[in-house]
């Protein structure tokens, strides 16, 4: 008696084709998602025409600037006025909690504070009053350098600002980002008896995801 042949089933040969079809379907699905996201971003860009806001230091008022020779500590209180301009016609800017501002002289912090939370509407100019105060160690060498800068009428200051913001496109809110700004100022004096004049200012900034 001859050997019986083992039958072959066609469905076993179709398994590879089914996997390929499933993989192709997943790729098409993800492609459609990416295409939809790209179309949404493009729509927001052309519909709202976003423009970057601008910030500048417009004024500074010093209420305390005292050096204690007993413990080499500097006590500082000041209010900085920051002019914020939102040039966008349809975009609002929300300033969230978690901001920080620091004023330093030659790398040594003088005082710190935070930006008030607010929502700046479209085509709006807002002057934010940032109150800052500090109590920091200040060596005799820095004190002498500061006194010399005061005599010359050129006191260099570095102001660092870090604030979480959120752009609002009507009812649609984008994820929060963090805006970092470094302002290098030169003022004529830090005396509470005299209103300081901002003689020069340069600004640098960057944005990072929160």
């Amino acid at each position: 008696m001859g050997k019986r042949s083992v039958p072959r089933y066609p469905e076993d040969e179709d398994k590879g084709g089914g996997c390929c079809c499933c993989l192709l379907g997943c790729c098409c699905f993800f492609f459609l998602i990416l295409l939809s996201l790209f179309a949404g971003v493009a729509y927001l860009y052309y519909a709202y025409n976003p423009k970057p806001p601008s910030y500048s230091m417009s004024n500074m008022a010093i209420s305390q600037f005292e050096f204690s020779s007993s413990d080499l500590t500097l006590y500082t209180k000041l209010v900085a006025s920051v002019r914020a301009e939102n040039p966008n016609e349809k975009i609002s800017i929300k300033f969230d909690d978690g901001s920080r501002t620091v004023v330093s002289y030659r790398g040594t912090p003088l005082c710190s504070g935070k930006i008030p939370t607010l929502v700046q509407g479209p085509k709006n100019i807002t002057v934010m009053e940032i109150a800052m105060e500090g109590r920091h160690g200040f060596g005799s060498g820095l004190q002498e350098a500061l006194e010399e800068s005061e005599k010359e009428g050129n006191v260099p200051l570095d102001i660092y600002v870090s604030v979480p913001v959120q752009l609002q496109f009507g009812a649609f809110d984008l994820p929060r980002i963090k805006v970092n700004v470094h302002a290098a100022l030169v003022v004529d004096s830090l005396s509470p008896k005299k209103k300081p004049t901002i003689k020069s200012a340069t600004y640098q900034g960057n944005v990072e995801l929160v």
Side-chain angles (χ1 to χ4, degrees), residues 7-19:
R8 295 185 177 180
Y9 299 95
E11 58 267 26
D12 290 338
E13 298 177 356
D14 292 336
K15 288 183 179 180
C19 290

Side-chain angles (χ1 to χ4, degrees), residues 46-96:
Y46 286 106
Y48 290 91
N49 189 22
K51 301 174 183 177
S54 63
Y55 304 95
S56 61
M57 187 76 63
S58 60
N59 194 13
M60 184 182 294
I62 299 173
S63 59
Q64 183 181 18
F65 197 80
E66 299 176 0
F67 180 76
S68 173
S69 57
S70 60
D71 57 359
L72 299 180
T73 300
L74 181 65
Y75 298 85
T76 307
K77 287 184 180 180
L78 62 84
V79 176
S81 301
V82 177
R83 183 181 185 273
E85 180 178 0
N86 179 11
N88 296 283
E89 297 182 358
K90 301 178 181 180
I91 301 175
S92 298
I93 302 175
K94 180 182 179 182
F95 295 84
D96 283 338

Side-chain angles (χ1 to χ4, degrees), residues 98-140:
S99 66
R100 179 171 172 79
T101 61
V102 177
V103 178
S104 67
Y105 172 79
R106 295 191 175 182
T108 299
L110 301 180
C111 54
S112 61
K114 63 180 182 178
I115 293 178
T117 58
L118 59 92
V119 176
Q120 186 179 21
K123 300 293 289 185
N124 175 270
I125 296 176
T126 299
V127 177
M128 298 180 289
E129 304 292 334
I130 306 174
M132 292 179 274
E133 60 180 281
R135 175 181 179 274
H136 296 278
F138 209 72
S140 58

